[in-house]
Amino acid sequence: MKEKVEIGTQLISLVLVVLWVYAAVSKLQEFEAFAVQLLRQPFPDGWAAVLVWALPGVELGAAALLVFRRTRGEGLLVSLGLLLLFTGYVGLAVAGVWEDLPCACGGILNSLGWGEHLVFNLIFTVLAGAGLYMWKKKKQRLRGRRRFREAAYRSGGR
């Protein structure tokens, strides 16, 4: 069972690394279009100047955290947070809260409709949540094992 959890966490992390690297690189490759789309979003213009660099940076940072076993939990947490924010935003767009809202996404997501984009985001949000859940379960199991060893050591192994 523990091997399945580890493999599942690694696979989910790999999928999220691909997602974040692809999303960030797409935004950076189409930087001017991305910046213009951010300016058309329903938040203050000053935010666009920050987000144009922050979004790809945070996406690449999340990918980097996911690569290393020691920081994988933080990477899964950042991934889940980003996906919840993005999914909430797309959900509001699907609900028609804003008129004529462009997608400030990069790559293939730019060609999806809002409904399709919502399904895509929901799938990745569930994956990130499942990965974080499995990672936490693994950490709890390891902590329990460590406590058991420490107690056995203190008692002389009896």
Side-chain angles (χ1 to χ4, degrees), residues 5-155:
V5 169
E6 179 65 23
I7 291 169
T9 305
Q10 288 175 355
L11 283 173
I12 289 170
S13 296
L14 177 63
V15 168
L16 290 170
V17 166
V18 170
L19 172 72
W20 295 132
V21 170
Y22 176 77
V25 168
S26 296
K27 288 175 179 118
L28 294 171
Q29 282 180 330
E30 303 164 11
F31 188 78
E32 286 185 30
F34 174 56
V36 168
Q37 289 170 343
L38 276 178
L39 285 169
R40 294 182 56 207
Q41 301 303 310
F43 42 74
D45 288 349
W47 288 22
V50 173
L51 290 175
V52 75
W53 293 106
L55 284 175
V58 171
E59 290 167 345
L60 290 172
L65 289 170
L66 289 163
V67 168
F68 301 103
R69 182 176 286 135
R70 177 173 239 141
T71 58
R72 188 162 292 144
E74 290 84 354
L76 289 163
L77 188 60
V78 170
S79 294
L80 181 59
L82 280 172
L83 285 160
L84 285 170
L85 286 171
F86 293 158
T87 303
Y89 181 78
V90 172
L92 291 172
V94 168
V97 172
W98 303 289
E99 291 181 27
D100 191 34
L101 184 66
C103 180
C105 310
I108 196 165
L109 291 181
N110 231 353
S111 64
L112 296 180
W114 285 113
E116 298 156 322
H117 198 147
L118 181 61
V119 170
F120 179 91
N121 279 26
L122 285 170
I123 290 168
F124 279 91
T125 302
V126 168
L127 273 177
L132 186 59
Y133 175 80
M134 288 189 287
W135 179 84
K136 283 186 173 193
K137 282 294 190 189
K138 177 185 164 205
K139 285 295 179 190
Q140 287 173 347
R141 192 174 59 249
L142 289 175
R143 249 185 261 124
R145 229 184 277 153
R146 239 181 266 129
R147 271 191 237 123
F148 177 76
R149 269 191 243 133
E150 289 169 4
Y153 180 73
R154 280 193 301 268
S155 69

